[in-house]
């Protein structure tokens, strides 16, 4: 039985808990891809006329809710990207890709709310890039949980 | 508080629960029970204690035809947990330094 008063025992118990948690922290590829598609929708929305832009933003927001609900149903929990400090670089990459994508589609079209065919390849690049960033985030989060376990 | 420790978070099982809640946005009761390896009654008791001081939020909701309980750490709870962890690390380092080489 662990000594309740020893801080080292308390820290060791937390490390064991985080180690058990790490074994559950896996998300299927389609979940990472959903994050990529979501960001791509935000990018494409900027290349559409105002009413369509608003509609696509609404679809993207609804998709965010559906993704969170699907996570809860599948895993019994929801983990947003900001929970992990180690995962911040992956979040920064995903945000940079999205903002870069928005800048690219508006530049190709000559401004927001104007369609240009370049929005399609740009959105594909953003979708793939954010999917990879999401996979990277999972690795960083896993490493964070396991490193603390081994500390 | 004692040595920077938060007495609400001090009980070992409660600390494990808070540690798990700190790593997620929200989590179902059954998952916490599996990860922390405690009984329903012990988990309920500790979640109630955390909720009572505003460290955790407990919500019930129906999903797939079953009543489920969800728990999350509040901003106050996250702050208290981080401070408690910092105090534990300080005490552990002091204990290690006190051991003669």
């Amino acid at each position: 039985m662990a000594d309740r008063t020893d801080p080292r025992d308390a820290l060791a118990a937390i490390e064991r808990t985080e180690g058990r948690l790490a074994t559950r922290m896996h998300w299927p590829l389609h979940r990472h891809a959903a994050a990529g598609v979501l960001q791509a929708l935000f990018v494409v929305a900027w290349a559409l006329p105002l009413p369509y832009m608003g509609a696509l933003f609404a679809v993207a927001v609804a998709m965010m809710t559906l993704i969170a609900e699907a996570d809860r149903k599948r895993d019994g929990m929801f983990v947003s990207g900001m929970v992990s400090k180690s995962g911040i670089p992956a979040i920064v990459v995903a945000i940079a890709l999205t903002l870069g994508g928005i800048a690219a589609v508006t530049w190709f079209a000559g401004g927001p709310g104007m369609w240009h065919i370049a929005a399609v390849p740009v959105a594909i690049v953003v979708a793939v890039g954010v999917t990879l960033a999401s996979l990277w985030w999972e690795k960083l989060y896993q490493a964070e949980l396991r490193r603390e376990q081994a500390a | 508080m004692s040595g920077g420790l938060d007495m609400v978070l001090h009980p070992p099982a409660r600390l494990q629960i808070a540690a798990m809640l700190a790593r997620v946005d929200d989590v179902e009761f059954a998952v916490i029970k599996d990860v922390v390896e405690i009984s329903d009654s012990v988990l309920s008791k500790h979640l109630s204690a955390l909720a009572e001081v505003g460290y955790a939020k407990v919500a019930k909701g129906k999903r797939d035809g079953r009543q489920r309980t969800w728990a999350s750490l509040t901003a106050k709870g996250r702050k208290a947990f981080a401070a408690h962890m910092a105090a534990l690390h300080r005490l552990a380092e002091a204990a290690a330094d006190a051991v003669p080489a």
Side-chain angles (χ1 to χ4, degrees):
Chain A
M1 169 96 56
D3 179 356
R4 287 170 61 105
T5 62
D6 191 329
R8 289 168 295 190
D9 288 336
L11 290 170
I14 289 170
E15 287 162 8
R16 287 194 297 276
T17 296
E18 292 189 336
R20 286 193 295 273
L21 189 58
T23 63
R24 299 180 79 114
M25 291 302 189
H26 292 288
W27 288 267
L29 182 60
H30 67 77
R31 169 61 178 82
H32 294 289
V37 170
L38 178 65
Q39 295 307 107
L41 287 180
F42 279 116
V43 170
V44 170
W46 283 85
L48 297 176
L50 201 55
Y52 298 104
M53 186 191 283
L56 204 53
F57 278 139
V59 168
V61 170
M63 192 178 165
M64 281 168 68
T65 307
L66 289 173
I67 289 172
E69 281 309 299
D71 281 2
R72 290 187 179 102
K73 190 173 180 181
R74 186 183 59 247
D75 305 323
M77 66 178 109
F78 176 64
V79 183
S80 70
M82 300 313 288
V83 161
S84 166
K85 278 184 186 163
S86 301
I88 288 173
I91 301 289
V92 169
V93 167
I95 292 170
L97 277 166
T98 305
L99 293 177
I102 290 168
V105 297
T106 51
W107 181 78
F108 279 117
M114 289 186 283
W115 176 249
H116 190 286
I117 192 66
V120 175
V122 169
I124 291 169
V125 168
V126 170
V128 172
V130 173
T131 300
L132 293 174
S134 181
L135 285 161
W136 182 35
W137 180 89
E138 181 180 320
K139 280 193 185 301
L140 294 172
Y141 185 41
Q142 283 273 346
E144 184 178 306
L145 290 172
R146 295 217 159 94
R147 186 168 56 242
E148 287 180 7
Q149 186 187 17
Chain B
M1 300 279 271
S2 169
L5 294 174
D6 187 327
M7 287 300 120
V8 174
L9 293 170
H10 193 59
R14 200 175 298 165
L15 185 59
Q16 304 310 302
I17 295 163
M20 177 167 182
L21 293 178
R23 293 299 194 172
V24 300
D25 284 74
D26 52 54
V27 59
E28 200 189 333
F29 187 93
V31 177
I32 307 173
K33 203 182 82 165
D34 282 353
V35 172
V36 182
E37 298 178 339
I38 50 174
S39 67
D40 284 15
S41 58
V42 171
L43 177 54
S44 288
K45 188 184 83 176
H46 287 302
L47 279 179
S48 297
L50 289 169
E52 209 167 277
V53 293
Y55 285 1
K57 197 174 130 193
V58 179
K60 288 182 190 296
K62 217 166 188 181
R63 191 184 294 270
D64 301 331
R66 285 176 54 199
Q67 187 75 19
R68 293 170 198 264
T69 302
W70 293 79
S72 58
L73 221 51
T74 61
K76 184 182 174 186
R78 286 187 188 276
K79 204 173 160 187
F81 178 72
H84 188 77
M85 286 297 288
L88 279 177
H89 281 291
R90 276 197 308 273
L91 289 170
E93 279 167 24
D97 291 345
V99 175

